[in-house]
Amino acid sequence: MSSALNSDIQFLSGVGPKRAALLKTELGIETFNDLLHIYPFRYIDRSRITPIAEVRGDLAYVQIQGTVVSSTLIGPGGSTAMAAGGPIPLRAAKRLSVIVDDGSGRMEMVFFKGIKWNYERLKPGNAFLFFGKPSEWSGRLNIVHPEIDAPLMGGAEAKGTLTGVYPSTEKLKNGGITGKVMCKLQSAALAVCLPDIKENLPDYVLKDNALVPLAYALRNIHFPADHYALEKAVRRLKFEELFFLQLSLLKQKYIHSRGSVGIPVTKVGAAFNSCFNTLPYELTGAQKRVIREIHNDMKSGHQMNRLLQGDVGSGKTMVAVLSALLAVDNGYQACIMAPTEVLAQQHFANISKYLVPTGVRCSLLTGSSTQKERREIHAGLEDGSIGIIVGTHALLEDNVVFRALGLAIIDEQHRFGVDQRAKLWSKGPGIPPHVLVMTATPIPRTLAMTLYGDLDVSVIDELPPGRKPVKTTMISDAKKGAVYNFMEKQIALGRQVFVVYPLIFESEKMDLNNLEMGYEEILRRFPDPAYKVAIVHGQQNADVKNFNMAAFVAGRAQILVSTTVIEVGVDVPNASVMVIESSQRFGLSQLHQLRGRVGRGAEESYCILVHDYKTSAEAKKRLELMCATNDGFEIAEEDMKMRGPGDLEGTQQSGLPIKLAIASLAKDGRMLNEARIYADKVLNADPKLESQANRLLAEELRKGKYNTKDYSKIS
Ligand code: ADP
Ligand code: MG
């Protein structure tokens, strides 16, 4: 069926093949319809004219109406050249300076491009309407490259109250597609397409959610009749986007959870009970609840796909162990995969302790396992004598074959790629194993809902009792002496100290130099034999690294100088101070992860954010936030607001299931929730969207953009 909406963009009046190519590469626009779905990201209220006397350098956009007083060409040598040498020939001019007077004051308009054209039209004595962003330049206000219109005649209303500002690029502008041209194109597209725009939401959905029709929304998002119409248009388009996103994710989940066969992990047996009964502490309410959720999933007859979120130190390891034992009690094996060797070793050491009373055999498989160890492990996994295997990526190798893998646990999920997960899934006994993904990156709820809409999410929202928030301060590196004095006092109390340096790329020589210089400085301040200082970084070979790490874990070294290799998981309860050097270079989530390494014991603990004098205002804001709160979710929410969801640490690989054109995960959390609840309601009544009433919804979901790379397809 042909409709104007599907027409090739080059045939829109004002476009043509050249601009069409630009629109395609720069904004992905191929059809009229694509164009109509590029929305303004803000609007300028052009109904207001600002008197020059009220203009300030920090104002956003202003509109000024005034008369040209003078128009001066300025040469390469700047204004001095002009003063010395009279008028400059047009072609030699580098800049055009136009002074405008509106009765309240005077202001300069500056042009570096289009000099000739503007020189010829901005004749002194004539009035114009100028529009642009004021800036301050050596104490004087000006507007560089303002938009220029004919002046408004006496008493006339300013035209088009709200003007959309569209996303643009340098190439678009150079290709002649300026903001003004974009408005014209949208107007042309609307003119031919409006009769063809078909509603894609059923009537009942519009009514239930008080949404305006699509045609109305598209017209008013581009050319708002007024603020009120704009608000309605925005709400409709955002809701639509979030609703379809949730509908597509939840539909997969509905189908998946009804269709997939899961390994039956029903009984709670001897291994689980003997571990549970000998725990050195009482599980927190949250840990108990999460274990119940996991057990319910694993005995449901369907495959579990669960994301376990818990802030650092919330006790996820214990949940992993008990879940693994549930699998073992039912005749299956479990694997626990960690992102780094250090972490796998630590997991293995901890888990082995918990397993002593159970008699379950547990092994460790990493890149540095010897050939002999490997042979034994491979055999043990194949004959089923190994119940629980802890390891790194080495677990994914083809020659690792399980007798009956029932549960795969992945710690710190974001470090694994999609393909790697798929490999693990395929190691099940014909049926994919249950999957538990654990993450300490507190993903904001809105983002989790979007990224993992098809996953069930459990949250450990309670820390073990007795944990005190980590006291956090920021300090300039000029006051390093005070930091060392503080470290000395803590060490005298028997505590240990982490000192972390940023190492963005392990190969960056500069960073490593910083680390080594810092290490030497600390050695001078904390000399042997009174003090032992260990150092750990990615360039060391595994033996050295493990030796140094072990010295700190065992308390033989009081100070551990390291790069972020200790970021994830490492647990030294006696460490009470975390010093983060060049902390301005870390992201919020990373700072939070690092800080989570202390505050695990009962003592007061401290995090000291050392920053250098060059720290930007933005980085200072991050550090201040760290000082203000210990709540990982709050930090993650702020992080998302500051950086935008696509950029959030730990989520780059996952990517958003669809590209959002108007809704924002950072800002529209409430509407996302609303849309999800409503999508759930729709699917509950009609899981496959087969009813006549839902025909439009099914049609929309069949479109390519909702084909998400989700977990249910991987397993
Ligand atoms: P994370 O969620 O960061 O992986 P861990 O599982 O490493 O946290 O647990 C952090 C510390 O808390 C460990 O030392 C662990 O032994 C301890 N722990 C876990 N659960 C409890 C609990 N219910 N009560 C007291 N301590 C606990
Ligand atoms: Mg952990």
Side-chain angles (χ1 to χ4, degrees):
M1 190 183 55
S2 89
S3 125
L5 286 162
N6 298 327
S7 309
D8 190 323
I9 192 68
Q10 68 166 306
F11 301 122
L12 182 66
S13 125
V15 180
K18 238 183 168 166
R19 286 184 170 181
L22 258 184
L23 286 170
K24 179 160 186 223
T25 51
E26 295 301 291
L27 295 172
I29 297 171
E30 295 187 26
T31 64
F32 290 18
N33 189 50
D34 294 341
L35 178 71
L36 288 176
H37 285 86
I38 298 287
Y39 308 131
F41 60 92
R42 62 185 175 77
Y43 297 83
I44 294 157
D45 187 348
R46 300 197 68 166
S47 59
R48 196 178 136 66
I49 292 174
T50 308
I52 288 176
E54 287 175 22
V55 175
R56 291 193 325 269
D58 58 354
L59 285 182
Y61 285 77
V62 294
Q63 186 162 239
I64 283 162
Q65 180 159 308
T67 306
V68 174
V69 183
S70 68
S71 174
T72 314
L73 294 166
I74 297 170
S79 47
T80 41
M82 179 195 66
I88 287 172
L90 244 178
R91 67 191 151 66
K94 289 288 180 233
R95 176 154 61 99
L96 171 66
S97 164
V98 175
I99 305 295
V100 177
D101 189 314
D102 75 345
S104 80
R106 287 184 173 196
M107 193 168 165
E108 185 191 23
M109 305 290 153
V110 183
F111 301 85
F112 298 97
K113 286 186 211 154
I115 291 179
K116 178 167 184 279
W117 192 61
N118 284 308
Y119 184 67
E120 279 162 8
R121 78 167 158 164
L122 298 176
K123 291 263 188 327
N126 292 334
F128 297 91
L129 199 55
F130 297 94
F131 175 82
K133 181 161 179 12
S135 53
E136 212 170 313
W137 198 75
S138 57
R140 295 212 339 243
L141 287 170
N142 66 24
I143 298 180
V144 178
H145 293 157
E147 277 180 35
I148 302 160
D149 275 311
L152 301 170
M153 288 315 163
E157 273 295 295
K159 59 178 183 180
T161 27
L162 291 169
T163 306
V165 181
Y166 292 88
S168 186
T169 66
E170 207 52 44
K171 280 194 186 143
L172 281 174
K173 282 186 203 140
N174 291 341
I177 306 179
T178 58
K180 233 178 177 173
V181 169
M182 196 66 180
C183 285
K184 277 191 190 139
L185 297 182
Q186 293 288 6
S187 165
L190 274 175
V192 288
C193 292
L194 264 180
D196 281 352
I197 291 173
K198 277 189 311 198
E199 186 51 59
N200 60 354
L201 290 173
D203 255 356
Y204 82 94
V205 175
L206 294 179
K207 285 213 183 75
D208 281 358
N209 298 285
L211 302 172
V212 295
L214 181 57
Y216 177 95
L218 283 177
R219 187 154 39 84
N220 282 284
I221 198 82
H222 294 296
F223 301 100
D226 50 40
H227 283 279
Y228 187 61
L230 175 60
E231 209 170 286
K232 285 178 163 177
V234 168
R235 179 176 148 74
R236 143 79 207 215
L237 294 170
K238 280 187 179 175
F239 187 91
E240 174 194 324
E241 202 163 64
L242 296 170
F243 172 67
F244 278 120
L245 174 64
Q246 291 304 319
L247 199 65
S248 72
L249 287 166
L250 288 172
K251 183 160 175 267
Q252 285 158 11
K253 181 173 143 190
Y254 267 82
I255 292 170
H256 185 67
S257 67
R258 287 173 196 217
S260 76
V261 186
I263 294 167
V265 174
T266 48
K267 77 170 181 221
V268 178
F272 181 96
N273 284 326
S274 53
C275 175
F276 187 79
N277 293 331
T278 53
L279 282 178
Y281 42 72
E282 171 91 8
L283 292 183
T284 63
Q287 283 171 315
K288 285 183 194 161
R289 170 173 48 77
V290 168
I291 290 168
R292 232 176 293 126
E293 286 167 356
I294 291 169
H295 188 208
N296 282 340
D297 276 7
M298 294 202 297
K299 70 181 182 195
S300 70
H302 302 296
Q303 187 209 10
M304 171 172 78
N305 267 290
R306 189 169 278 279
L307 176 75
L308 173 58
Q309 290 194 334
D311 209 342
V312 280
S314 60
K316 293 184 293 296
T317 314
M318 204 56 243
V319 171
V321 171
L322 289 169
S323 308
L325 289 174
L326 283 172
V328 171
D329 274 338
N330 287 271
Y332 294 94
Q333 294 159 294
C335 71
I336 300 176
M337 200 150 104
T340 64
E341 177 132 6
V342 172
L343 194 58
Q345 278 166 359
Q346 178 150 34
H347 268 328
F348 176 69
N350 282 334
I351 291 169
S352 301
K353 268 193 309 213
Y354 293 124
L355 292 181
V356 172
T358 68
V360 173
R361 183 176 165 205
C362 179
S363 299
L364 173 70
L365 181 68
T366 70
S368 52
S369 302
T370 64
Q371 279 308 318
K372 180 162 166 286
E373 286 166 344
R374 275 167 201 263
R375 268 197 303 278
E376 278 170 18
I377 289 168
H378 290 164
L381 288 174
E382 268 194 88
D383 67 20
S385 61
I386 294 177
I388 298 176
I389 178 95
V390 180
T392 55
H393 293 79
L395 290 172
L396 297 172
E397 285 161 17
D398 288 333
N399 51 14
V400 176
V401 179
F402 291 84
R403 193 184 64 83
L405 180 63
L407 171 64
I409 299 173
I410 300 178
D411 199 8
E412 303 299 338
Q413 152 274 337
H414 61 272
R415 306 203 173 198
F416 286 107
V418 170
D419 299 344
Q420 292 169 322
R421 284 195 292 252
K423 244 187 155 166
L424 193 54
W425 288 198
S426 71
K427 291 186 185 287
I431 318 174
H434 294 294
V435 175
L436 180 67
V437 174
M438 305 199 292
T439 176
T441 308
I443 302 167
R445 270 187 62 74
T446 50
L447 190 58
M449 258 185 220
T450 315
L451 290 175
Y452 309 110
D454 59 320
L455 242 75
D456 294 297
V457 177
S458 290
V459 181
I460 307 188
D461 49 6
E462 183 186 351
L463 293 180
R467 293 276 167 78
K468 293 186 195 144
V470 180
K471 284 195 174 157
T472 307
T473 46
M474 52 195 281
I475 189 165
S476 148
D477 63 0
K479 299 187 186 143
K480 200 73 132 320
V483 177
Y484 290 147
N485 291 344
F486 182 75
M487 286 166 57
E488 188 179 2
K489 284 199 193 111
Q490 286 288 307
I491 293 169
L493 291 170
R495 310 280 137 71
Q496 291 167 277
V497 180
F498 289 105
V499 182
V500 178
Y501 285 81
L503 197 51
I504 312 297
F505 304 107
E506 288 281 352
S507 62
E508 254 182 38
K509 270 256 164 53
M510 272 281 290
D511 286 336
L512 207 55
N513 282 345
N514 281 342
L515 173 79
E516 272 159 6
M517 270 163 51
Y519 174 58
E520 273 158 25
E521 190 177 301
I522 288 170
L523 279 181
R524 281 196 297 277
R525 179 65 176 73
F526 297 93
D528 204 24
Y531 298 95
K532 293 273 184 265
V533 184
I535 179 166
V536 170
H537 58 79
Q539 310 261 294
Q540 292 167 326
N541 72 37
D543 285 344
V544 175
K545 191 155 74 184
N546 292 337
F547 179 85
N548 290 345
M549 196 70 218
F552 187 68
V553 172
R556 289 192 297 275
Q558 296 94 338
I559 300 174
L560 179 72
V561 177
S562 77
T563 58
T564 48
V565 291
I566 59 139
E567 179 188 339
V568 200
V570 175
D571 193 16
V572 184
N574 189 47
S576 65
V577 184
M578 166 64 64
V579 178
I580 305 177
E581 293 280 350
S582 302
S583 57
Q584 77 278 357
R585 288 175 58 185
F586 290 92
L588 272 173
S589 320
Q590 217 180 2
L591 289 172
H592 181 66
Q593 293 287 311
L594 287 169
R595 180 169 62 181
R597 297 303 109 215
V598 296
R600 307 192 142 218
E603 311 82 24
E604 193 68 70
S605 55
Y606 306 87
C607 176
I608 301 171
L609 304 169
V610 183
H611 60 89
D612 69 25
Y613 67 96
K614 287 189 297 242
T615 304
S616 69
E618 198 195 323
K620 279 224 173 89
K621 247 168 84 185
R622 282 203 302 270
L623 301 182
E624 277 158 14
L625 180 68
M626 287 298 296
C627 296
T629 180
N630 265 264
D631 182 334
F633 280 89
E634 198 181 323
I635 290 170
E637 295 281 358
E638 283 305 315
D639 201 15
M640 188 160 84
K641 281 185 197 145
M642 285 184 204
R643 309 205 289 166
D647 201 25
L648 197 68
E649 232 167 284
T651 58
Q652 297 95 323
Q653 298 171 5
S654 342
L656 292 180
I658 66 167
K659 208 170 149 277
L660 295 173
I662 183 164
S664 146
L665 294 178
K667 296 188 194 119
D668 300 317
R670 187 179 294 180
M671 198 187 283
L672 177 65
N673 209 9
E674 200 182 305
R676 182 180 177 87
I677 291 168
Y678 191 74
D680 197 56
K681 195 169 138 196
V682 169
L683 286 167
N684 226 318
D686 180 12
K688 293 186 177 166
L689 301 176
E690 291 165 325
S691 72
Q692 185 55 28
N694 288 329
R695 190 180 47 84
L696 289 176
L697 299 180
E699 241 168 59
E700 183 74 22
L701 287 195
R702 269 196 294 277
K703 293 181 184 165
K705 66 176 161 177
Y706 299 103
N707 285 334
T708 62
K709 270 199 211 164
D710 68 327
Y711 290 84
S712 47
K713 292 219 179 85
I714 293 160
S715 54

